[in-house]
Amino acid sequence: MSQHTPIKVGITHGDINGISYELILKALEDNRILELCTPVIYGSAKIAALYRKMIQHPGIPLVQVASGADARHGEYNIVNVVAEDTKVDTGQSTPVAGQAAFVALERAVADLRNGDIDVLVTAPINKHNIQSPTFTFPGHTEYLEASLGEEGDKALMILCTDKLRVALVTAHTPLSKVAESITEDNIVERLKAFNLSLQKDFGVTQPRIAVLSLNPHAGEQGLLGKEEQEVIIPAIKKAQEAKINCFGPYASDGFFGSGQFAHFDGVLAMYHDQGLTPFKTLAMDSGVNFTAGLPYVRTSPDHGTAYDIAGKGQASPSSMREALYMAIDIWRNRQRYATAHANPLRKQYVEKNKTDNVVLDLTKSSDEE
């Protein structure tokens, strides 16, 4: 891609009965967006028009294109992926909405793999109604790992703002099964992936990562649970041996309540609600869900379909807009990281001649000297 060509941002319409179209319309209404990127919505121009009227939004001029490859720079593009007669039941969870969400996601992922778009921003889905024989995943993260990951790739969910980044050892795992999933290998694997993402995706040179405990009060030396002593602490030590700056385990309540999180570049939580409850309390309007660990960039708002306010014009587009900005920033950070590590400068070894103080540059050939 030319350095001056705007980044193509694919945007899936998510659940058509929720707040997704309101988020998209509001997030894109600032014309300065077009200076940063070329938006490509995967959805329905008809449904977009329906919600524009419903929430009394002035609207944005949508140009219908066949695929991301045909997207026009300087325009708001939309790829129609659902049938004209697709039924919208605002505020309701329906199989039709789930199917429409999946079709948009599938088409956008195909264009992302083909290089027709550069990054992907997904509007919220309903994890129940999207289930089908072709979608059997707990959520976006697991589906994207299966669809976009190369051999050995493991997706890592990171909830982030410009000041707080929370990653999870277990993501969409039932609480009853969390403890058995907290193994030394899993924690070390997540720490390595998190550390690399902080460097490559967020531009942090030497990340500092805090690791949370599993049990209350970090287990109280085994009184309230032994996972800290038997699993988490050994994992931290193993990661430290691999030159990862990680510390802990910290009890979650005091760690966030005291503001201690501000001293770290990232926080590794053991399970979903442990990390996401404090994160959303601190950053609900500006938080972004980023899928790290894959060759492609995907972000999403950090909230759900919000059926209760769908079609009422009350939804805030802040998280959606931040997801769009962050996808662009991460894509650029990856380009810089790849450039910096593709052709590293040859090391110059300097020796001082003890007799005549001549400095030798050993990178030169004999002819150059």
Side-chain angles (χ1 to χ4, degrees):
M1 171 182 293
S2 167
Q3 188 174 3
H4 302 290
T5 302
I7 297 171
K8 286 186 182 180
V9 179
I11 304 170
T12 59
H13 68 178
D15 191 300
I16 60 175
N17 295 337
I19 60 173
S20 294
Y21 273 101
E22 182 175 348
L23 299 179
I24 294 169
L25 291 170
K26 288 181 176 180
L28 296 179
E29 64 186 352
D30 188 339
N31 284 334
R32 288 175 294 183
I33 292 288
L34 296 178
E35 298 175 10
L36 293 173
C37 68
T38 299
V40 185
I41 302 167
Y42 292 82
S44 165
K46 183 177 179 180
I47 297 176
L50 174 67
Y51 274 100
R52 179 183 64 78
K53 293 177 182 178
M54 199 181 299
I55 65 174
Q56 298 182 338
H57 188 272
I60 53 177
L62 296 175
V63 175
Q64 297 185 43
V65 294
S67 71
D70 302 314
R72 303 179 190 176
H73 299 302
E75 304 281 1
Y76 298 102
N77 302 271
I78 186 164
V79 180
N80 287 307
V81 297
V82 298
E84 281 284 312
D85 59 350
T86 298
K87 189 179 184 206
V88 174
D89 291 305
T90 304
Q92 304 297 316
S93 173
T94 66
V96 171
Q99 176 62 19
F102 173 67
V103 169
L105 179 61
E106 186 179 44
R107 181 63 183 278
V109 165
D111 277 5
L112 186 61
R113 280 197 305 260
N114 291 336
D116 296 332
I117 56 176
D118 298 304
V119 298
L120 178 63
V121 178
T122 59
I125 61 171
N126 180 303
K127 294 178 177 61
H128 174 71
N129 68 28
I130 198 174
Q131 297 297 315
S132 72
T134 51
F135 190 100
T136 57
F137 305 91
H140 273 123
T141 303
E142 295 81 4
Y143 169 79
L144 293 170
E145 179 182 281
S147 302
L148 297 174
E150 297 174 355
E151 186 175 357
D153 285 341
K154 294 289 185 181
L156 176 68
M157 181 188 292
I158 302 178
L159 276 291
C160 43
T161 66
D162 57 346
K163 296 181 180 178
L164 176 62
R165 306 175 191 96
V166 177
L168 307 175
V169 176
T170 61
H172 299 121
T173 301
L175 193 57
S176 61
K177 297 182 180 180
V178 165
E180 65 190 56
S181 301
I182 302 300
T183 66
E184 186 175 324
D185 287 344
N186 280 346
I187 295 172
V188 172
E189 180 183 79
R190 296 304 191 188
L191 280 170
K192 288 180 178 179
F194 197 13
N195 186 67
L196 179 59
S197 179
L198 289 169
Q199 293 174 328
K200 181 171 68 173
D201 301 324
F202 297 96
V204 182
T205 305
Q206 293 183 319
R208 288 171 50 85
I209 301 173
V211 181
L212 300 185
S213 63
L214 175 65
N215 299 297
H217 308 293
E220 289 283 12
Q221 297 183 338
L223 181 64
L224 302 179
K226 297 182 179 180
E227 285 84 1
E228 284 72 24
Q229 293 176 314
E230 296 179 356
V231 179
I232 300 176
I233 291 175
I236 291 173
K237 291 180 178 178
K238 184 176 288 188
Q240 288 172 340
E241 291 171 0
K243 308 301 182 185
I244 295 174
N245 294 321
C246 54
F247 310 89
Y250 299 98
S252 180
D253 55 352
F255 181 80
F256 285 102
S258 65
Q260 197 171 4
F261 66 88
H263 300 294
F264 295 90
D265 300 298
V267 180
L268 183 68
M270 293 297 113
Y271 58 94
H272 187 279
D273 285 12
Q274 181 189 49
L276 269 58
T277 298
F279 176 87
K280 292 186 178 183
T281 301
L282 293 165
M284 185 66 179
D285 286 339
S286 59
V288 175
N289 182 345
F290 165 54
T291 304
L294 301 179
Y296 303 90
V297 176
R298 174 262 175 170
T299 62
S300 177
D302 71 342
H303 54 72
T305 55
Y307 289 138
D308 57 322
I309 60 171
K312 298 179 180 179
Q314 299 174 5
S316 169
S318 297
S319 182
M320 186 71 177
R321 189 178 292 118
E322 289 300 319
L324 190 151
Y325 291 151
M326 188 167 290
I328 295 171
D329 287 342
I330 291 172
W331 188 89
R332 289 175 174 166
N333 286 339
R334 286 192 177 186
Q335 304 306 304
R336 296 188 190 102
Y337 184 88
T339 299
H341 290 77
N343 296 299
L345 294 175
R346 296 176 64 189
K347 294 181 180 179
Q348 294 188 351
Y349 298 93
V350 179
E351 292 184 359
K352 187 174 183 180
N353 189 297
K354 295 180 181 179
T355 57
D356 57 8
N357 293 330
V358 175
V359 177
L360 302 178
D361 183 353
L362 298 184
T363 65
K364 292 182 178 180
S365 68
S366 57
D367 291 338
E368 290 173 322
E369 293 173 351

